[in-house]
């Protein structure tokens, strides 16, 4: 009983009992929501990988319950002869390093070499005053002449004594004594001959000669100084640099393999600069040391280089590359295509219908840009190089040069934004199959009519697998494009991109044939664009035939302009409304793409003017580049261009401002 109010007091547990039904109801609702969310998440993950059949209603859209496709980078598995190499850091050591010291003392009267001069063996380097040595020779010769006369007199006396001995006119002791005198004088004469030879040798030492062929350094003494025999500094230091050696270390685990290969073949050895970009010299492996360094676990090795151009300098640090073997017809892929998972290395394979699947591979020899696949992959298969972290098994992808608009049938109404002639027809195709749905027909797109916008955002079949617009990856020689025809509903148009002229294509083929040995030598294992870029960077090291072929390449901009509209698709004014009679309908999959970016007449005129004004700058700043690469290079080096070229570039309008906007 409450004293203040007179009402009976309610117990606390009675209040709690009244709230329990509501709490239980809320908990049940929460559990139902969690179960439903988990079910929806699991169900969506199962259907996300499949992504729906091409052209199905909402196949790429979020309304159809599937995950949208992922834009990825594409590459082809190719075959090439890949060298198995071993890289190491080496030190250039001359074959011989000699400090030229005098062997007689005297005053230096002549220095017959220039510092840094290449000298040959036996060439006179300096002359020491020979006059004291000449006098010593005369003295030795005079003493020898005197002793020879005494010997002749003693021999004559001995002959007389022997005659007298036969007549018993002299004692035998006198004969024996005279014979001993003759022997003594003969020894004296022999000693005199040695003294004369020594004097002549010292006189020859007054002319200091080069013991080996090589390069002299800085001289340590000048004319007029008195130098002593065996002086520590000597005249000069002489190094033999042709041929020259490079010493480097190899891991002890690879020493048996190197010895085995060196016993049956000559192992090529290449020396690069410290950036590993410039080839300095090529030589051959010589030998390994006879013991392992226990502190580093390595074995010292030595290679011999002819060094005819004197590119290697004594005590220079170089990067050496020893070629142990060559893998012929090996399957090669970009290094970015190989990924590592819990079960080892794997790659993403792109099928003909633009779905991906994971495949385990075994990786072999690898370089900075490429990897050899020993097993698990066949040539010409398409691989994902970029965007693999977002992929799932069976998921659909968008290849370079395509756009996501090719299958988003549920949003076809957007085609009318650009004002294309078939934009309204595409808007009526909600959920209809085909590459044209959502693309705005042959002239549609997000940017405007045929004269404006970018084809990459929906230009008929450019969004489908059949499109080969700007940025598409061309298959290597001998490999089919995509492996087969695109599946049903995927557009077959897709023009645009840079169109090479017949002259440019012929020049490229001639360059490919003329530079075939240079490709194998300077750019082993590279294909397509990477190989051409590599050969351009190493143009100074290519053969004369290859340089002549590169010089015949057409000037930048010689091909058809990038993004030029196809001749079969005449320009039409941008307008809103129903499509023209006979226009391809949404879902047909046969609408021809409008191509890449279509510049306006003003932009085309500005480009032509820039191409003419900047012709000399193209040759100076961007040699060997063509088309878009040449224009991009010129923009990057605009600060180095001539004033006339800068003025022409300033008149260029940015993409998207030219052409008709179609009222969008």
């Amino acid at each position: 009983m409450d004293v203040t109010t007179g009402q009976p007091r309610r117990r606390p547990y009675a209040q709690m009992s009244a709230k329990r039904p509501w709490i239980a109801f809320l908990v049940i609702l929460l559990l139902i929501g969690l179960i439903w969310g988990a079910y929806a998440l699991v169900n969506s993950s199962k259907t996300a990988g499949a992504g729906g059949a091409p052209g199905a209603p909402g196949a790429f859209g979020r309304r159809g319950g599937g995950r949208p496709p992922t834009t990825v980078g594409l590459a082809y598995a190719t075959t090439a002869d890949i060298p198995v190499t071993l890289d190491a850091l080496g030190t250039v050591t001359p074959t011989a390093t000699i400090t030229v010291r005098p062997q007689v003392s005297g005053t230096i009267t002549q220095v017959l070499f220039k510092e840094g001069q290449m000298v040959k063996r036996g060439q006179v380097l300096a002359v020491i005053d020979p006059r004291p040595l000449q006098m010593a020779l005369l003295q030795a010769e005079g003493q020898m002449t005197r002793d020879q006369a005494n010997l002749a007199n003693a021999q004559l006396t001995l002959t007389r004594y022997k005659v007298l001995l036969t007549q018993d006119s002299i004692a035998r002791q006198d004969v024996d004594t005279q014979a001993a005198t003759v022997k003594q004088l003969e020894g004296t004469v022999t000693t005199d001959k040695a003294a004369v030879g020594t004097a002549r040798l010292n006189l020859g030492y007054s002319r200091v000669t080069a013991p080996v062929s090589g390069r002299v350094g800085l001289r340590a003494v000048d004319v007029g100084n008195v130098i002593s025999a065996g002086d520590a500094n000597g005249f000069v230091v002489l190094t033999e640099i042709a041929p020259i050696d490079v010493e480097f270390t190899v891991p002890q685990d690879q020493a048996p393999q190197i010895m085995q290969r060196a016993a049956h073949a000559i192992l090529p050895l290449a020396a690069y600069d410290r950036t590993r970009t410039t080839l300095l010299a090529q030589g051959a492996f010589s030998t390994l040391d006879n013991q392992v360094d226990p502190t580093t676990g390595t074995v010292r090795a030595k290679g011999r280089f002819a060094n005819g151009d004197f590119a290697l300098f004594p005590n220079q640090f170089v990067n050496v590359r020893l070629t142990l073997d060559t893998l012929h017809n090996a399957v090669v892929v970009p290094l970015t295509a190989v990924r590592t998972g819990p079960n080892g290395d794997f790659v993403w394979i792109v099928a003909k219908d633009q779905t991906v699947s994971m495949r385990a591979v075994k990786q072999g020899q690898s370089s900075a840009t490429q990897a050899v696949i020993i097993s698990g992959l066949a040539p010409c298969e398409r691989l994902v190089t970029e965007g693999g972290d977002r992929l799932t098994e069976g998921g659909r992808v968008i290849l370079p040069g395509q756009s996501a608009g090719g299958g988003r049938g549920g949003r076809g109404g957007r085609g009318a934004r650009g004002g294309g002639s078939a934009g309204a027809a595409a808007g009526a195709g909600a959920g209809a199959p085909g590459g044209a749905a959502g693309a705005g027909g042959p002239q549609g797109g997000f940017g405007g009519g045929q004269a404006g916008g970018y084809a990459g955002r929906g230009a008929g079949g450019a969004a489908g697998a059949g499109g080969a617009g700007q940025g598409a990856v061309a298959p290597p020689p001998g490999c089919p494009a995509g492996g087969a025809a695109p599946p049903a509903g995927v557009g077959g148009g897709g023009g645009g991109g840079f169109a090479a002229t017949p002259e440019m294509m012929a020049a490229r083929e001639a360059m490919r044939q003329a530079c075939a040995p240079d490709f194998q030598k300077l750019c082993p294992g590279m294909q397509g664009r990477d190989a051409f870029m590599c050969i351009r960077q190493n143009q100074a090291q290519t053969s004369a035939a290859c340089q002549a072929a590169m010089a015949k390449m057409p000037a930048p901009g010689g091909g058809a302009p990038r993004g030029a509209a196809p001749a079969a698709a005449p320009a039409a004014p941008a307008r809103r409304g129903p499509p023209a009679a006979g226009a391809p309908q949404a879902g047909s999959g046969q609408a021809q793409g409008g191509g890449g970016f279509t510049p306006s007449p003003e932009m085309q005129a500005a480009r032509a003017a820039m191409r003419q004004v900047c012709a000399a700058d193209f040759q100076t700043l961007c040699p060997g580049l063509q088309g878009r690469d040449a224009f991009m290079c010129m923009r990057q080096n605009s600060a180095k261009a001539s004033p006339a070229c800068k003025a022409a570039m300033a008149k260029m309008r940015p993409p998207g401002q030219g052409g008709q906007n179609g009222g969008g």
Side-chain angles (χ1 to χ4, degrees):
M1 178 71 68
D2 192 346
V3 179
T4 58
T5 61
Q7 299 290 334
R9 181 177 298 175
R10 181 176 298 178
R11 297 181 180 180
Y13 66 86
Q15 299 178 1
M16 294 297 296
S17 299
K19 295 180 180 180
R20 283 178 182 176
W22 290 101
I23 296 176
F25 181 71
L26 292 177
V27 170
I28 292 173
L29 289 180
L30 180 60
L31 291 176
I32 293 175
L34 291 175
I35 294 174
W36 176 260
Y39 174 77
L41 181 62
V42 172
N43 191 27
S44 63
S45 63
K46 291 182 179 179
T47 59
F60 288 173
R62 299 183 184 273
R63 298 179 184 178
R67 180 178 299 178
T70 303
T71 302
V72 297
L74 184 67
Y76 284 82
T78 59
T79 57
D81 295 341
I82 301 299
V84 180
T85 60
L86 173 64
D87 294 340
L89 182 64
T91 304
V92 180
T93 58
T95 308
T97 302
I98 303 170
T99 301
V100 181
R101 296 185 176 92
Q103 300 189 42
V104 293
S105 301
T107 303
I108 301 174
T109 58
Q110 290 180 328
V111 175
L112 303 178
F113 68 90
K114 295 181 180 180
E115 295 174 327
Q117 177 185 349
M118 295 296 300
V119 298
K120 296 182 178 180
R121 181 177 181 179
Q123 181 176 340
V124 180
L125 301 179
V127 176
I128 299 176
D129 188 2
R131 292 175 296 176
L133 302 175
Q134 292 173 352
M135 297 302 102
L137 175 61
L138 289 175
Q139 182 179 359
E141 290 177 344
Q143 186 174 353
M144 183 181 67
T145 302
R146 183 192 62 187
D147 292 338
Q148 286 177 344
N150 291 334
L151 175 61
N153 184 33
Q155 290 175 344
L156 182 60
T157 301
L158 178 60
T159 303
R160 293 172 181 172
Y161 281 179
K162 288 181 179 180
V163 173
L164 293 175
L165 181 62
T166 58
Q167 298 175 357
D168 199 16
S169 300
I170 191 174
R172 178 173 293 277
Q173 181 178 359
D174 294 337
V175 176
D176 295 339
T177 301
Q178 188 62 30
T181 302
V182 171
K183 293 291 184 181
Q184 183 179 2
L185 291 175
E186 288 178 351
T188 303
V189 171
T190 302
T191 303
D192 293 340
K193 290 181 179 180
V196 171
T198 301
R200 288 178 178 173
L201 190 61
N202 290 335
L203 182 60
Y205 285 154
S206 64
R207 297 171 61 86
V208 182
T209 59
V212 295
S213 299
R215 184 176 184 270
V216 296
L218 305 179
R219 67 171 182 262
V221 65
D222 297 325
V223 176
N225 290 308
V226 177
I227 193 168
S228 301
D231 187 86
N233 296 325
F235 281 105
V236 70
V237 176
L238 175 63
T239 55
E240 186 178 3
I241 59 177
I244 202 167
D245 296 333
V246 174
E247 292 186 1
F248 57 98
T249 58
V250 298
Q252 61 181 0
D253 297 336
Q254 294 184 333
Q257 180 184 4
I258 295 175
M259 294 182 64
Q260 181 180 4
R261 294 291 302 171
H264 299 87
I266 298 177
L267 302 183
L269 187 65
Y272 293 84
D273 63 350
R274 57 187 182 89
T275 61
R276 298 180 183 269
T277 56
T278 303
L279 178 64
L280 301 178
Q282 290 183 334
F285 174 79
S286 297
T287 184
L288 287 175
D289 199 1
N290 57 358
Q291 56 184 349
V292 177
D293 188 352
T295 59
T296 60
T298 57
V299 183
R300 295 175 58 193
K302 180 180 289 187
R304 177 64 58 91
F305 294 83
N307 201 30
D309 55 353
F310 308 119
L312 299 180
F313 206 77
N315 297 331
Q316 176 185 1
F317 286 98
V318 295
N319 290 284
V320 296
R321 180 168 296 169
L322 178 63
T323 302
L324 300 177
D325 197 0
T326 301
L327 302 177
H328 298 283
N329 295 325
V331 179
V332 182
V333 299
L335 190 61
T336 54
V338 182
R339 303 177 180 275
T340 302
N343 299 325
D345 296 333
F346 69 94
V347 295
W348 287 107
I349 304 295
V350 181
K352 298 177 182 178
D353 58 352
Q354 296 189 199
T355 59
V356 294
S357 60
M358 183 186 300
R359 184 185 300 176
V361 295
K362 184 178 181 181
Q363 182 179 352
Q365 177 79 13
S366 63
S367 63
T369 58
Q370 293 180 322
V372 176
I373 303 301
I374 300 177
S375 62
L377 195 63
C380 297
E381 290 193 272
R382 299 190 299 177
L383 311 170
V384 173
T385 57
E386 298 178 4
D389 297 336
R390 305 185 299 271
L391 298 179
T392 57
E393 184 71 21
R396 295 185 61 84
V397 295
I398 301 176
L399 304 182
Q402 301 178 358
S403 72
R408 296 174 63 177
R411 302 180 67 176
R414 285 206 174 185
R417 288 186 56 187
S421 61
Q443 293 90 15
F446 288 104
Q450 182 179 358
Y454 286 90
R457 295 196 175 182
Q470 180 176 341
V473 179
C479 295
V490 180
F498 177 74
T501 62
E503 293 79 4
M504 182 178 295
M505 296 176 64
R508 286 181 179 177
E509 183 62 26
M511 173 184 170
R512 186 180 294 108
Q513 295 178 0
C515 301
D518 302 275
F519 278 119
Q520 295 293 335
K521 177 182 177 181
L522 302 176
C523 310
M526 293 188 179
Q527 300 289 338
R529 178 183 178 87
D530 295 336
F532 276 96
M533 293 300 294
C534 173
I535 208 69
R536 290 190 186 115
Q537 294 174 358
N538 296 276
Q539 182 176 0
Q541 304 178 19
T542 57
S543 60
C546 183
Q547 293 181 3
M550 284 191 285
K552 295 180 181 179
M553 293 290 290
R562 284 187 179 270
R575 57 185 178 86
R576 298 182 183 272
Q585 299 300 319
S588 65
Q590 302 297 327
Q592 183 175 1
F597 174 72
T598 305
S600 63
E602 294 81 2
M603 183 175 293
Q604 292 184 14
R607 285 184 178 178
M610 174 186 172
R611 190 179 297 112
Q612 295 178 0
V613 174
C614 301
D617 300 273
F618 276 123
Q619 297 293 336
T620 303
L621 302 177
C622 310
L625 297 182
Q626 303 292 332
R628 178 180 176 86
D629 296 335
F631 278 96
M632 293 300 296
C633 172
M634 182 58 63
R635 291 194 184 100
Q636 294 174 357
N637 295 276
S638 59
K640 302 179 182 179
S642 61
C645 184
K646 292 181 180 178
M649 284 191 288
K651 296 179 181 180
M652 294 285 292
R653 290 195 291 178
Q657 294 185 6
Q660 302 175 1
N661 294 330

